[in-house]
Amino acid sequence: MYVFCLLHHQDKQTLDPLVLDQWTFYVLPTAVLNDRCPNQKTIRLSSLERLSQLKTDFTGLPKAAAACAEGTRQPPDYRDQPPL
């Protein structure tokens, strides 16, 4: 399982990486990346958003990780899409 973290807050005056409300988390099964991006070392946000249906804030992260571990929220038909 991969958890990608994005500091989405844009206002430099109030930006604080320690404030968890300023982050967005993307949870993705390892198998999805292995199948769709087998040779990649990096990924664009737009590609990540297409692959991951588990986008959450910090409060929802445990639930999203549990759903990913259980395999209950894999992106539909991700194997039928062309490589990124």
Side-chain angles (χ1 to χ4, degrees):
M1 171 187 324
Y2 286 92
V3 177
F4 294 89
C5 311
L6 172 68
L7 183 58
H8 65 260
H9 194 77
Q10 298 289 320
D11 183 3
K12 290 184 180 182
Q13 291 185 355
T14 58
L15 181 73
D16 184 353
L18 298 178
V19 175
L20 297 174
D21 289 341
Q22 296 181 2
W23 291 86
T24 301
F25 299 88
Y26 298 85
V27 182
L28 190 62
T30 303
V32 173
L33 279 181
N34 289 347
D35 289 345
R36 299 273 291 128
C37 312
N39 299 316
Q40 284 184 225
K41 302 293 181 196
T42 61
I43 190 166
R44 293 176 185 239
L45 180 59
S46 59
S47 298
L48 178 61
E49 288 178 330
R50 280 195 303 268
L51 291 175
S52 178
Q53 290 186 356
L54 294 170
K55 176 181 175 182
T56 185
D57 59 8
F58 182 74
T59 316
L61 188 55
K63 186 176 180 179
C68 181
E70 294 171 5
T72 58
R73 291 284 310 269
Q74 271 195 347
D77 304 322
Y78 74 90
R79 291 175 194 255
D80 296 333
Q81 299 172 4
L84 299 175

